[in-house]
Each structure stands twice: as C-alpha cells, then as structure tokens.
Amino acid sequence: MSEISSHINSLASSNSRTLSIVIVNYNVRFFLDQCLMSVYGSEFSRETELEVWVVDNNSVDGSVEMVREKYPQVHLIANNDNPGFAKANNQALRQAKGDYLLLLNPDTVVEKDTLEKCLAFMQEHSDCGGLGVKMINGEGTFLKESKRGFPTPRTSFFKISGLIKLFPKHPVIGAYYMGHLDDNETNEIEILPGAFIMMSRESFEKVGLLDESYFMYGEDIDYSWRIRLAGYKNYYLPSARIIHYKGESTRKGSMNYVYTFYNAMVIFTKRYFSGNSAKLYIGLINVAIWLRASLSWLKRILSGIALPAADLLFSWGGMVAIKQLWATYWAENVNYYPAVYTWTILPLYAAILMLCSWLYGGYDKPIKRSRLIKGMAVGAAALLVFYSLLDETQRYSRAVLLLGSAWSIAASLGIRQVLGWMKAEGFANGRQHKSTLIVGSKDECQRIDQLYRELGIDSEEMVYVQPTETSKISDMIRIYKADEVIFCSKDMLIEDTINLMLHLKPQGVEFKIAPEESDFVIGSNAINSREDLYTMEINTVASPMSRRNKRLFDIGTSLLLILASPVTIWMQHNISRYYRDCLSVLIGTKTWVNVAGGIFTPSDILPGRPLDEQRMNLRYTRNYKVSTDATILWRNIRNI
C-alpha cells in the first residue's frame, strides 16, 4: 500500500482535488446514505484531495434533507425536476475540480481501498481513459455487467435470443458480457458499467460531457465508445470491488424501464451504425420492445387475477360440496337444490365475498390475513342481510351460506399459507425469520436486535457473532438454521463483508448491512427502518386500501351528483363550477377531499369556522376513513 500512497501524495500536490465523485440520486435515500458512508470511510477520504457531488433529481423521500444534515461537506445540487441521469451528471462534471473523475451510483458500497487502487492503476496506465471494477450484488453474486462488449447487432441477437445463456464463455456468442475473459483478471474491456466509471481529467477533456440525448440507460455504452474513439482504452480492475444493489432507482419490470432501455439502444445504433446492419438492429429492438411490453402486460394481468381467481374457484367448489352434503343428509334429496343455485347463486356468493375482501385490502401486498378475514366476514354479513330480505321461495339455505362463507375464509387462508411456504413474493408468513445471525460487536448486535424488535420483525433466535468468529459462520448457519445474516459495518470492513457474502452464498441466506449509527438495515430485497413505523402511523391515507376506497367513493359520488344535477345544481353557490368539479373527480384529475389537489380540504369539515389547517391535515392523513370524506362532502354540498 506504500506505493499507492506515494501515487496519491504526488497527485495531491496540485491545486485541484485529486478525485471528484459524482453521484446522481433519485428517491434512494437509504442507499445514498450508505454509499456516502462508505466513500467517507474509505482510505482515500482526505478532504483536501476528495470532493463529492450529489445531484438530486427531485426526490420526495427526504434525500436532500439527509445530505444537508449528515454530509455538509458534500456539494449538493437539488433539482426541481428530473432532467435524467446524463444531464444530472453533467451538472456536476462542469464544476468538478478533480484530476480524476468518478461517476458512482447511489446504490453502491465501495471497499475501503477501492478508490486508491483505481487511482493508482490509472496513474500507472496512461492509456486508460476509463476504468470499471468488479461488482457484487446484495446477494453475493458477481454481476456480469462488470465487463461488457459493444452491443453490435450480432452480439445483441445472441443476448436477446438467450443463446448467450447456453454458451456464456464463447468469445462470439458470449461477447455481450465478454464471458471469455476471467472474472478475476485485469483486462481491457469495451463497455464500462454505468454504476462505476472512473476517468482521468485528460481523457474527460477530450471525450467531453455525457450525451444528454439519453435520459437513463445507454449513456455508459455511448461514453465507453467515445473514450475508445478518443484513443484511450477501457479497463476492468477486479482487485477493486464494490457492492452494487443494482436497479434500486427503477422498476425493471415496468414498461417505462423497457421503453427507456431499448430506446437508448436505438439512439446509440442510429448514431454509430449505418446501412442494413443498423436497420436490422433497430428492427430487432422494436420487436424486443413489443415482445417485452406484451409479456409485461400479460404478467401484470395474470398476477393480478391469479389469486382472486383461485379464491373464487375454491370458494365456489367448497360451497357446491357443502350444498351437496346438506341436500343429501339434511333434505335427503340430492336434487333438492335447483341448478340455478349451483351455477348462479353460489358463484355470486363467492364473488361478493371476494369483492369485500378486495375492498378491505385482502389482496394488497404484503398479504395480511386479518384484512382478508375482516373483508369476508363483512361480505358474509351483507349476504345474510340480503338473504333475509328475499322472498321465502328464493331463500335456498342459510346454513349453506354460513358454512360456505366459513369455508371460503379457511380456503383463502390455506392458499396464502401454501404460498408463504413456497416463499412467494409478498406472501411471507408474517415477518418471521427462522433465525438471524448478527455479525458485529455486542453493542452493535444489541442495537440491531432492538431495531428489529421495534419494527416487529420476529426471529426464532437472534444469534450474535463476534467479528473474530467469522470462520464459524458457515457452521452456525447450518446449526441455527439461519436464513439471514446482518453485517454491522462499524465492526466489519466492506471487503470482509463481500468475501463472506461470496463464501456463504451457496447456503442460500439473505444478506443485509447495518451502517454505523444508522436506524436502518439495508439489503438487496428489503430495507428495514424505524421510518417504517412513522410512515405506517401518519400515512394511512396513502395505503393501497385507502386509495382504492377513496377512489371508489369519488367515482360513486361524482356519478350520483351528475345524475342528480337537475335538482342539486340549483343548490349551488357557484353553478358554473358544478359539472367541472364532478367531471374532474370522476376522471381522477382531482379528488373530493385531500390535503392538496382536492376540491375540499380536511379543514372544511366545519365550513365557516377557522381551524388549525396543519393539525387537521395531519389528523386526516393519520386516521383516514371514507366516512370523513362523506361528511366533508355533505357539509359542503352547496359549494361544489
């Protein structure tokens, strides 16, 4: 390390900073916090040599406030909109003073010596215009994106067709990820990973800023190409490593991601390719967009109806069986009930039970059994009331209705239990772990244990592991049947954490990191934070069930007011606004009541009387009920 230090000291002799790091953030506050902790905890964190820029693209998760409070030394640019990844990077690059520049994703964690290793390598290799590192995801898996080839039409075909999975190390078929190169050897590569691109001031001056035609994705390919066009080489340095949680700022299953990613490829192709190969490639990309869009749409539809359809089928099937048993042993006549009861009435019963379950949030993820039970119980009560109003000739069987409703609840709970055993997403049986290993000092382990207890995350056992006992972790996972390992960054170096993740990955455990002096634990699949409690407490109006019921209320009341307008319009103080407000609420551009964007506000619950607006807004968001909206609308019915 003495050679590296001498390199750094020679660089620091200039008036400019040795290294400028640019991080573009969008609604990933916890990841950004951990990233900055790792940067300032690295061996290269001397303020005279390092400057960090954070460009926030109008996040709404408190990222800006967190940076200002915890990292006052950071150069912060807070945008009032989201101009895109390339443009945001350029905002900081225009002002950065470093002899070397690093574009770093917020959902990354750098090892203690990663930055020094990279700087030393670049100074030793004057032909290096851009440098990438070995990336490991939050599950301990090597990311193939660490080294990529240019997406030529042929290379892209092997990638899109899936042939690359059959021959990943073939120099031609596996060229997209340059699979023929050893993951642990330093090599020249073609494409640098957008999560970590280090470049020299000299190469940056020749290559220029990022191309702002790319909103997100593709700018790393474009920039890597331009570095090579400028006469430099791109290198992959596996001895320098980072954790990259990969894609936390975007939802990769969304159509927006599909379009943005493939459209970036179209821009790149039109700019650097020509002739038939370009036309073929663009055609292939368009086919890929439509195919991915169709598959994404189909997946959303199927995932949305699969569980309700299963509930409906099991509910109806059970009711038919109960009906048949009741007819056989009570009425002593297997044909006691007419066919219309089996094929119309019982499916209608089941559908009403499912509808009430949906209204009460029985299908919202993560699944909560209590909401399902409550919804179906209300549905059963409504059916019994409706049943009692029917003519006696239409009252087929109260017993079948009651037993069928009980069966429906039991069957639906059973389906969810099976899905929980299968570890289907959103169906975990509670928030319980078999056991959790916490690797760190006693104080840190107790702190994380207390955090989990506050969040209501239960484990059969919380096992503390001292940092000096990490050689025993593999055996402890097996003995305690652990399914989660938490590393305390205060007591564990990132490089040791990465080594353990790679070593323990075959055992199938989930990894998380607890940053020093933080109130959150972060992993690839989940973030557990004390803020969860605050959010659950004050933001009930934003829950899926509240949003759904609020929207149903808006649609129903706006339709009713439009239909009743020949009478109600003459009650209005401002007749010209009546239809405009009703239509705005009906199509969803406004809501009847909201803190912002509503026809009325929570303080309108007592029209004409001065109320503490802030206190009323807080009470409304914390304890939202549809009845509150109904009360406010009724008391302001003349002011629509």
Side-chain angles (χ1 to χ4, degrees):
M1 189 60 66
S2 59
E3 292 183 11
I4 295 176
S5 299
S6 63
H7 286 310
I8 302 307
N9 290 333
S10 64
L11 287 170
S13 60
S14 62
N15 293 327
S16 61
R17 302 295 176 90
T18 301
L19 177 65
S20 295
I21 300 178
V22 177
I23 303 171
V24 175
N25 176 73
Y26 181 64
N27 288 325
V28 285
R29 173 164 61 94
F30 293 112
F31 287 98
L32 175 63
D33 191 2
Q34 184 177 230
C35 177
L36 291 172
M37 284 185 198
S38 70
V39 167
Y40 285 113
S42 68
E43 292 180 355
F44 185 79
S45 60
R46 294 175 287 277
E47 188 174 346
T48 56
E49 300 169 17
L50 175 70
E51 66 172 5
V52 179
W53 291 82
V54 170
V55 186
D56 184 83
N57 279 349
N58 201 27
S59 296
V60 295
D61 65 345
S63 293
V64 170
E65 292 76 12
M66 181 275 293
V67 173
R68 285 175 176 159
E69 180 181 344
K70 294 187 66 174
Y71 305 97
Q73 69 271 44
V74 165
H75 300 272
L76 177 65
I77 300 175
N79 289 321
N80 294 321
D81 61 353
N82 184 357
F85 183 76
K87 190 171 183 177
N89 270 297
N90 288 342
Q91 287 179 273
L93 287 173
R94 289 188 180 95
Q95 304 177 63
K97 301 175 182 178
D99 296 319
Y100 292 86
L101 307 166
L102 171 62
L103 305 184
L104 183 66
N105 267 26
D107 55 346
T108 59
V109 184
V110 300
E111 288 187 351
K112 201 172 186 66
D113 60 355
T114 291
L115 300 179
E116 292 214 30
K117 285 180 177 178
C118 290
L119 287 166
F121 180 89
M122 292 201 74
Q123 191 178 32
E124 291 171 354
H125 296 77
S126 59
D127 62 342
C128 178
L131 183 65
V133 297
K134 186 174 186 178
M135 300 191 300
I136 308 296
N137 70 10
E139 298 173 351
T141 301
F142 169 71
L143 292 174
K144 295 178 291 185
E145 297 90 323
S146 300
K147 49 182 178 63
R148 283 184 294 163
F150 283 120
T152 62
R154 181 174 65 176
T155 301
S156 299
F157 170 76
F158 292 136
K159 169 72 164 60
I160 294 173
S161 66
L163 287 173
I164 191 173
K165 294 181 180 179
L166 300 176
F167 307 99
K169 295 187 180 298
H170 193 278
V172 177
I173 299 176
Y176 189 89
Y177 291 120
M178 305 192 80
H180 61 289
L181 300 179
D182 193 311
D183 299 342
N184 297 310
E185 287 185 2
T186 301
N187 275 297
E188 181 184 348
I189 58 173
E190 294 176 343
I191 299 297
L192 298 163
F196 187 105
I197 299 179
M198 184 174 284
M199 50 196 160
S200 65
R201 169 65 63 177
E202 178 183 301
S203 64
F204 171 68
E205 295 292 347
K206 289 186 179 180
V207 177
L209 298 168
L210 274 65
D211 190 331
E212 296 180 4
S213 301
Y214 302 92
F215 181 82
M216 181 179 286
Y217 308 115
E219 69 287 321
D220 51 353
I221 300 175
D222 181 273
Y223 206 74
S224 299
W225 180 277
R226 287 162 56 197
I227 288 174
R228 287 167 63 93
L229 289 179
Y232 294 96
K233 294 179 181 179
N234 296 318
Y235 282 95
Y236 164 67
L237 183 64
S239 61
R241 301 181 303 182
I242 65 170
I243 296 175
H244 180 208
Y245 288 97
K246 191 182 175 185
E248 295 300 333
S249 299
T250 192
R251 302 180 67 177
K252 296 200 170 185
S254 68
M255 263 312 299
N256 183 56
Y257 165 77
V258 172
Y259 174 78
T260 304
F261 179 79
Y262 284 107
N263 186 57
M265 297 299 96
V266 171
I267 295 172
F268 179 79
T269 303
K270 288 181 177 179
R271 187 156 298 165
Y272 297 110
F273 293 96
S274 61
N276 293 330
S277 61
K279 293 179 181 178
L280 176 64
Y281 188 28
I282 292 173
L284 184 65
I285 290 173
N286 286 326
V287 170
I289 290 175
W290 284 107
L291 181 61
R292 283 288 299 272
S294 301
L295 291 175
S296 179
W297 176 80
L298 184 62
K299 181 180 179 182
R300 284 199 302 271
I301 294 296
L302 291 177
S303 62
I305 67 173
L307 185 58
D311 286 344
L312 184 64
L313 184 63
F314 275 84
S315 174
W316 175 52
M319 287 183 180
V320 170
I322 291 169
K323 180 262 310 182
Q324 203 62 28
L325 289 171
W326 198 258
T328 302
Y329 296 103
W330 178 78
E332 298 181 346
N333 179 6
V334 294
N335 296 316
Y336 179 77
Y337 296 105
V340 68
Y341 187 59
T342 301
W343 300 103
T344 304
I345 303 301
L346 292 182
L348 183 61
Y349 284 171
I352 290 173
L353 291 175
M354 301 310 116
L355 176 62
C356 290
S357 176
W358 174 71
L359 290 173
Y360 274 82
Y363 294 102
D364 297 337
K365 292 183 181 180
I367 295 295
K368 289 188 177 180
R369 278 74 172 169
S370 59
R371 294 188 298 214
L372 178 142
I373 295 171
K374 185 184 296 185
M376 287 198 181
V378 170
L383 285 172
L384 284 172
V385 172
F386 178 73
Y387 179 90
S388 65
L389 298 176
L390 293 174
D391 185 83
E392 286 190 10
T393 59
Q394 301 297 317
R395 297 180 191 175
Y396 294 103
S397 174
R398 182 181 283 105
V400 172
L401 174 57
L402 286 170
L403 292 173
S405 298
W407 158 257
S408 298
I409 294 173
S412 297
L413 290 174
I415 291 172
R416 284 150 181 77
Q417 185 68 36
V418 171
L419 291 170
W421 288 334
M422 296 171 62
K423 295 185 178 181
E425 183 181 357
F427 291 91
N429 296 317
R431 301 179 71 187
Q432 185 170 7
H433 294 282
K434 291 179 181 177
S435 63
T436 298
L437 302 186
I438 309 177
V439 186
S441 63
K442 183 179 179 181
D443 289 344
E444 280 294 280
C445 289
Q446 289 177 340
R447 183 175 71 85
I448 302 308
D449 191 343
Q450 180 62 30
L451 174 62
Y452 262 42
R453 293 179 190 279
E454 290 178 13
L455 293 172
I457 304 174
D458 297 323
S459 283
E460 292 180 4
E461 192 167 8
M462 301 289 278
V463 182
Y464 299 171
V465 183
Q466 293 297 311
T468 56
E469 300 176 337
T470 53
S471 60
K472 303 177 183 178
I473 292 181
S474 184
D475 290 333
M476 296 177 78
I477 290 173
R478 178 174 48 81
I479 293 170
Y480 291 100
K481 297 180 180 179
D483 59 356
E484 181 181 60
V485 178
I486 301 175
F487 299 103
C488 299
S489 64
K490 181 178 181 179
D491 309 304
M492 292 285 296
L493 296 175
I494 292 298
E495 46 265 44
D496 293 335
T497 297
I498 291 178
N499 289 334
L500 282 169
M501 289 167 63
L502 291 170
H503 175 67
L504 300 173
K505 178 176 170 51
Q507 295 188 251
V509 293
E510 182 179 343
F511 302 114
K512 293 181 181 176
I513 296 176
E516 183 178 356
E517 297 181 358
S518 65
D519 59 355
F520 62 90
V521 177
I522 196 164
S524 195
N525 299 316
I527 301 174
N528 304 122
S529 163
R530 280 197 179 92
E531 189 171 281
D532 294 346
L533 300 174
Y534 177 76
T535 301
M536 287 187 289
E537 178 186 354
I538 72 164
N539 210 22
T540 58
V541 73
S543 69
M545 185 171 69
S546 294
R547 292 200 307 267
R548 178 173 54 252
N549 292 344
K550 187 177 182 63
R551 182 70 189 127
L552 289 173
F553 172 79
D554 282 349
I555 292 173
T557 51
S558 57
L559 282 173
L560 181 63
L561 288 169
I562 290 173
L563 292 174
S565 61
V567 176
T568 55
I569 196 170
W570 304 109
M571 302 165 52
Q572 299 304 305
H573 294 150
N574 189 340
I575 294 177
S576 63
R577 260 180 42 189
Y578 185 85
Y579 286 109
R580 185 183 64 195
D581 286 352
C582 289
L583 288 173
S584 296
V585 173
L586 181 62
I587 65 176
T589 57
K590 287 188 177 182
T591 182
W592 284 123
V593 183
N594 207 354
V595 173
I599 305 297
F600 305 109
T601 65
S603 57
D604 288 323
I605 193 167
L606 294 174
R609 293 179 59 179
L611 297 173
D612 185 333
E613 184 175 352
Q614 186 174 0
R615 185 168 62 86
M616 295 303 297
N617 288 345
L618 182 61
R619 180 182 296 177
Y620 179 81
T621 56
R622 181 178 290 176
N623 303 297
Y624 174 75
K625 296 178 182 178
V626 171
S627 58
T628 305
D629 281 3
T631 300
I632 293 173
L633 179 60
W634 176 251
R635 291 179 178 177
N636 293 274
I637 194 72
R638 293 177 177 272
N639 299 312
I640 296 175

